[in-house]
Amino acid sequence: MTAVHSPTAADSGASASASFRSSAREGVAVSAERVSTVATAVLKGVHEVIRAHDVTYPEFQAAKQWLMDLGEGGEWPLFLDVFVEHVVEEVAARTQDGTKGSILGPYYLPDQVSLPAVSTLPMRPGEKGDPLVFSGRVTDLAGRPLAGAELDIWHADSEGYYSGFAPGIPDGNLRAVVTCDEDGRFEISTVQPAPYQIPTDGPTGRLIDAAGWHPWRPAHLHLIVRAPGHRPITTQLYFAGGEYVDSDVAEAVKPELVLTPSDQRVSYDFVLEPA
Ligand code: MBD
Ligand code: FE
């Protein structure tokens, strides 16, 4: 499937930068010792690559130009979330129990409309795409329902574009915070998202093209699942047999997160550990 229009990298990459800047983050206190340990290791890694691969002066200057372009194009969040975040998540997951997590990515927006347990996501009249009903339950580790758990859900449309980051899509489209019922259950009606293509016209896309990689993520639903007294889970769900499930450019697919839809319905039960 080919989209007729394509949001430019400047649209989605720069909006992701603005969104990241405005998001509320906890300050981290990092000791000089920790900064030195990590920064030294990063620099040593770079030095080793230069030695091992005989990196030349022209290549070094081209890399410098590309890094400047990446920043000026506002694509640091896109680049880091695609190529680095999966390892940060992997390390965090070492000490976590319950539903597997996955990366947040650059396109989360907080404060979306609140909807009850059985709901249809905000969408345009005649929103394109196959209908999809996503249902399930949120429980604790012992399988007890977490009444009033929240599913913060967002996903791309049937052309692979996210509201808030691509032109011409109304704010809040295919985004909501759904509150589960007393039994921890939810049933969300939406449309099947398409695979997502990294914008090809920005520095991240230029790197992908120059290296001969492909720029695609498999179709996915993004979720943050929260319940009082429990650790929130940031994750993504994928569709068995879909394109790029086995070759996600962001390396964020885990087998436990791949769902098998049947009759345009799919279900998943989330398990949250204590906070
Ligand atoms: C996406 O839609 C996404 O989920 C990630 C992780 C990176 C880029 C685009
Ligand atoms: Fe995404």
Side-chain angles (χ1 to χ4, degrees):
M1 197 213 76
T2 22
V4 285
H5 67 288
S6 173
T8 65
D11 285 319
S12 49
S15 317
S17 275
S19 163
F20 182 77
R21 275 187 208 285
S22 70
S23 65
R25 278 184 309 279
E26 319 151 25
V28 277
V30 186
S31 67
E33 189 189 4
R34 176 74 173 164
V35 173
S36 179
T37 300
V38 175
T40 300
V42 168
L43 292 169
K44 268 180 80 173
V46 173
H47 303 332
E48 262 327 296
V49 169
I50 295 168
R51 287 191 189 102
H53 298 277
D54 300 321
V55 173
T56 65
Y57 258 99
E59 288 168 342
F60 170 63
Q61 303 300 15
K64 197 187 290 180
Q65 180 66 248
W66 180 82
L67 286 164
M68 288 164 58
D69 293 347
L70 192 67
E72 285 162 17
E75 285 198 8
W76 272 109
L78 177 70
F79 173 78
L80 289 173
D81 293 356
V82 169
F83 290 110
V84 179
E85 187 182 358
H86 69 98
V87 187
V88 181
E89 196 284 324
E90 175 191 313
V91 169
R94 287 177 188 164
T95 55
Q96 295 172 353
D97 204 351
T99 293
K100 298 286 182 200
S102 186
I103 62 180
L104 177 68
Y107 299 143
Y108 174 67
L109 292 172
D111 306 320
Q112 300 301 308
V113 65
S114 289
L115 297 176
V118 179
S119 291
T120 298
L121 293 189
M123 59 178 77
R124 292 161 282 190
E127 181 78 36
K128 293 196 189 99
D130 293 333
L132 178 71
V133 178
F134 169 52
S135 62
R137 201 172 185 215
V138 183
T139 70
D140 66 12
L141 291 174
R144 288 179 297 240
L146 292 171
E150 277 182 5
L151 268 78
D152 203 331
I153 181 168
W154 69 105
H155 67 82
D157 68 12
S158 68
E159 296 191 327
Y161 301 133
Y162 285 88
S163 63
F165 298 92
I169 305 177
D171 284 351
N173 206 248
L174 304 177
R175 296 175 183 271
V177 181
V178 173
T179 302
C180 298
D181 68 15
E182 315 73 58
D183 207 23
R185 293 185 192 279
F186 63 89
E187 185 182 277
I188 300 169
S189 295
T190 183
V191 294
Q192 174 69 41
Y196 170 86
Q197 183 179 26
I198 308 293
T200 51
D201 57 340
T204 306
R206 272 199 285 126
L207 170 67
I208 290 169
D209 185 53
W213 305 333
H214 83 242
W216 294 93
R217 298 212 62 224
H220 54 279
L221 304 175
H222 286 274
L223 295 131
I224 300 174
V225 183
R226 308 180 187 90
H230 293 75
R231 179 180 63 78
I233 288 176
T234 298
T235 194
Q236 300 185 30
L237 296 170
Y238 306 90
F239 304 93
E243 269 187 301
Y244 314 112
V245 170
D246 298 321
S247 63
D248 181 8
V249 64
E251 298 184 55
V253 179
K254 298 181 185 182
E256 298 87 345
L257 301 176
V258 180
L259 310 183
T260 304
S262 150
D263 270 346
Q264 305 184 129
R265 297 182 70 91
V266 77
S267 80
Y268 192 81
D269 295 337
F270 296 92
V271 179
L272 268 54
E273 67 177 347

